[in-house]
Amino acid sequence: MNHFKWLLGFVALLWAIEIINQVTGGSLRTYGLIPRHIDRLYGIFTAPILHGGLAHLLGNTIPLLVLGFLVSQTRSLLFVSLFVVIAGGLMVWFFGRANIHIGASGLIMGYWGFLLSYGWFTRSIRGILISIFTLLFYGGLIFTLLDFREHISFEGHIAGFISGVLCAWTLTKFMKQKTSTY
């Protein structure tokens, strides 16, 4: 339950920041991630909490809550979130277009990648069922990996997805090594 409280608090923070952003005429968006600018590395952490408007945040809120809840049923939500934000953010910083990248959709795609691959890597019935559920109810997210419109950070979507898969693999590999040493 603590994970879900953390998730609700995070979403409340996103909404509070967007309200401030609206009041200030969108001025906070300039604090997003700008690839290959050393002085903008902080954007790895600020990009997921900034959005392009209320519609953008509204579109991210439900998937963030649902997929975040599912992640919390498998592993530490905080660990997976930090892994995805840092690894995905670094990928965007190195390989992204020279635009300002903002939004929690990279984190959402990281959760999605984590949940889809979790069953494959763990080979557990519970993990496989969560992966199947995720695919059935959020399989349409595949199209966000293929959305190359100029105003969409497809780099953030792809990097988030890859980092989610890497997180699932890393955690599973660590679990296997830990149990084999006893």
Side-chain angles (χ1 to χ4, degrees):
M1 189 59 171
N2 287 337
H3 294 280
F4 196 66
K5 287 180 183 176
W6 178 87
L7 185 60
L8 288 174
F10 179 68
V11 170
L13 174 68
L14 296 181
W15 278 94
I17 289 170
E18 185 54 34
I19 289 168
I20 293 167
N21 197 32
Q22 292 292 313
V23 170
T24 61
S27 66
L28 297 180
R29 292 183 198 129
T30 62
Y31 295 103
L33 176 61
I34 299 179
R36 294 169 301 284
H37 285 242
I38 294 286
D39 61 329
R40 297 304 289 268
L41 268 171
Y42 65 81
I44 290 170
F45 297 100
T46 57
I49 62 173
L50 300 170
H51 287 81
L54 293 172
H56 184 204
L57 179 54
L58 185 60
N60 281 341
T61 298
I62 300 301
L64 188 61
L65 287 170
V66 173
L67 296 174
F69 174 76
L70 290 173
V71 168
S72 75
Q73 301 307 299
T74 61
R75 290 281 168 238
S76 168
L77 179 62
L78 187 56
F79 179 84
V80 174
S81 299
L82 287 173
F83 189 103
V84 167
V85 165
I86 294 169
L90 284 170
M91 284 186 237
V92 173
W93 190 83
F94 278 109
F95 304 112
R97 289 171 291 166
N99 290 333
I100 297 176
H101 297 262
I102 57 173
S105 52
L107 180 58
I108 291 165
M109 293 306 293
Y111 288 167
W112 190 61
F114 177 87
L115 291 164
L116 288 178
S117 59
Y118 182 74
W120 175 264
F121 292 128
T122 63
R123 307 252 195 245
S124 71
I125 297 296
R126 185 171 188 245
I128 291 169
L129 289 174
I130 288 173
S131 294
I132 290 170
F133 177 85
T134 301
L135 183 61
L136 289 175
F137 287 94
Y138 279 96
L141 287 179
I142 187 78
F143 296 109
T144 66
L145 296 175
L146 307 170
D147 191 346
F148 301 117
R149 290 179 286 172
E150 189 174 324
H151 68 284
I152 303 278
S153 178
F154 66 87
E155 302 97 320
H157 295 169
I158 293 168
F161 179 80
I162 291 169
S163 63
V165 173
L166 286 173
C167 185
W169 177 78
T170 302
L171 283 172
T172 306
K173 184 175 172 112
F174 176 74
M175 280 181 5
K176 287 179 184 174
Q177 286 179 349
K178 189 175 180 179
T179 57
S180 66
T181 60
Y182 294 111

